[in-house]
Amino acid sequence: MLAVTTTPKAWRGTSRLVGKRPRVRIAVGLHPELVAQRHHEVALLCGLLVETRYVGEIGIDGSPPHRGSIELQKSVFDRILAACAAAGGRVMSIHSRGAPAAVLDALERQRTSGVPILHWFSGTKTELARADALGCWFSVGPAMLRSRKGRELAAAMPVDRLLTETDAPFGRDGDSPLMPWQAYDCLNELADLKGLTVDILRRQLIANLRRLPKLVEWSG
């Protein structure tokens, strides 16, 4: 399981909370929704890269509430990608709501930043094809598959670069946040969309997850 953080200051506390549980990893992040208020923490995030293979949640948010800070978000995202590249690449969980083209532009400029995982991707099919060509991975969860567009995009994503997610506590099951084990609640529907049996898809997802950390340099 990968738990992302919304600010780099939360990374150490979350790491202490998780402790040495072997099946849980913590990503250091600076969520684009918080960049307007917390952009000064980008230096801390870059400094923590020596301690973790995983970065997230990072990215750009172009939705109306956050559009005013989009140039600052782009600058912060570019700086994080450059730092990841300098560190040998990292596994990155990336937010792109309302700004998929800007996110892909940044990834194209910095192709050695690591493995980009576009979580809950909601761009166009053309943007999805561009992301695929750039080698992006995709994480899909139950909440994403509730919409027709989400299902259409998931059906077009490469199965060998697909992961499951919950996006909890924002992803919800009724009034309650989704729990980690509910990342697989989308398995039946996802298997139907991909034309696979549930067992074959499950084995593919596990193989993807095992392959992912090996794609970046890491000596920690």
Side-chain angles (χ1 to χ4, degrees), residues 13-175:
T14 306
S15 298
R16 284 194 296 270
L17 181 67
V18 169
K20 297 188 179 298
R21 289 173 175 83
R23 297 173 69 104
V24 183
R25 300 291 182 269
I26 311 299
V28 59
L30 180 51
H31 199 289
E33 291 182 0
L34 301 179
V35 163
Q37 296 80 34
R38 311 290 287 267
H39 58 91
H40 55 278
E41 292 184 34
V42 66
L44 175 59
L45 185 153
C46 294
L48 289 170
L49 291 179
V50 296
E51 300 186 45
T52 179
R53 180 189 274 125
Y54 302 94
V55 177
E57 187 168 341
I58 58 172
I60 303 171
D61 190 301
S63 62
H66 306 287
R67 204 169 288 156
S69 65
I70 197 161
E71 293 306 318
L72 182 58
Q73 292 180 51
K74 289 178 182 178
S75 175
V76 166
F77 187 47
D78 280 342
R79 182 172 174 184
I80 294 170
L81 293 180
C84 288
R90 292 292 182 265
V91 176
M92 304 172 293
S93 178
I94 298 175
H95 175 109
S96 60
R97 182 177 60 195
V103 165
L104 296 176
D105 288 346
L107 291 172
E108 199 162 51
R109 287 192 298 271
Q110 192 58 261
R111 288 176 177 262
T112 60
S113 56
V115 183
I117 305 169
L118 301 179
H119 108 83
W120 197 334
F121 185 77
S122 57
T124 65
K125 286 189 176 180
T126 299
E127 289 164 335
L128 175 60
R130 183 184 173 199
D132 185 6
L134 284 170
C136 293
W137 288 52
F138 303 88
S139 55
V140 173
M144 177 177 170
L145 297 185
R146 290 176 193 147
S147 73
R148 184 177 68 178
K149 181 180 180 182
R151 291 190 295 273
E152 289 175 348
L153 289 170
M157 291 171 179
V159 72
D160 62 339
R161 281 180 271 133
L162 198 61
L163 301 167
T164 54
E165 65 167 44
T166 63
D167 197 34
F170 308 104
R172 304 186 73 80
D173 180 12
D175 293 331

